[in-house]
Amino acid sequence: MTNHRVIDGKAIAAEVREGVAREVARLESAYGFRPGLAVVLVGEDPASKVYVKNKGEQTKASGMNSWEHKLPAEASEAEVLAIVDKLNRDPAVNGILVQLPLPKHVNAEKVLNTIDPDKDVDGFHPVNVGRLWVGERTLVPCTPTGSVILAKSVAPSLAGMNAVVIGRSNIVGKPVAALLLRENCTVTVAHSRTRNIQSVVKGADLVVAAVGIPEMVRGDWVKPGAIVIDVGINRVPGEAGKTKLVGDVAYDECARVAGAITPVPGGVGPMTIACLLQNTVEAAKIQRGIKG
Ligand code: NDP
């Protein structure tokens, strides 16, 4: 077994949150305002309710204002759009997050594209996607930002590394690729049509797996000493009829070869909300023209 390092996402997320709380306090004393995040929840999806509750609690814990707007599952698209419009115009609201999934009769793309790009703390608006790829100051999607922070926790410079991102979704794979390019990696994006994916991954100094297939990446795919970031969250049957969470990486096998690896749970997962809080502060600064 190599002397691999387990990347502690919980501890690093706590550091990010502490940094946010310090910045919130600095903004309040220097500029006299508190950043605020509004979350819109439509319907009763149990997982979404838990996420929204956690987001609200962590927003308040960092010293920011937090608002929840709850609509019934049968709310019309026009009602959802009206709330977004109201939040766009409210100067106390710096960040707007519409919790996905939305009910089927509501066009999620239309709703997300209605959010003011400068308040789009999820970083999904096409304007922010464009800003990310051209290298302008912008709001970057949270899970990708968290994944790159974790990689940099073990290798402060990723420059020159061969990075392989598995997955090309708009919410994870593509923004991770953009961020790694910005970090001066040589980036390969693998997906369901990639031929010989195992040998593609074997060439990587840094692997980011965002696929949604339990334990797809096997130990013999990984180059000895590589950094492995596992974004996957998959529920599979566990012991005694219970379900357990596994990533897109076969953890035990890969940990034997990797130089550093994130566990599931406790790796990328905790970073997402921490980066959302960071984005809310960044959104407030962008809106007020505050540098840095
Ligand atoms: P999507 O389903 O949107 O995208 C999956 C990607 O994986 C697609 O690009 C797809 O390729 C690719 N893919 C599918 N099968 C294969 C295969 N056999 N070989 C190679 N690539 C394949 O998923 P997301 O990006 O939304 O999420 C990915 C994972 O990350 C999931 O497990 C999700 O739960 C998790 N996640 C975790 C978050 C966190 O906070 N930690 C946040 C968001 C997601 P193609 O484009 O060709 O179809």
Side-chain angles (χ1 to χ4, degrees), residues 2 6 34 66 123 165 173 181 195 198 218 222 248 250:
T2 54
V6 180
R34 267 169 194 243
S66 160
V165 182
L181 201 53
R195 288 197 195 125
Q198 176 174 350
R218 311 306 310 190
V222 174
D248 292 340

Side-chain angles (χ1 to χ4, degrees), residues 143 166-173 190-194 197 209-213 216 230-234 246-248 268-270 272:
T143 302
I166 318 176
R168 57 172 165 182
S169 71
N170 289 328
I171 61 168
V172 191
H191 45 78
S192 68
R193 308 289 181 89
T194 299
I197 194 161
V211 193
I213 299 180
M216 183 181 97
D230 188 353
V231 184
I233 300 179
N234 308 289
V246 297
D248 292 340
V268 174
T272 300

Side-chain angles (χ1 to χ4, degrees), residues 207-229:
V207 182
V208 181
V211 193
I213 299 180
E215 302 180 319
M216 183 181 97
V217 177
R218 311 306 310 190
D220 59 358
W221 297 27
V222 174
K223 179 168 151 180
I227 301 171
V228 178
I229 306 293

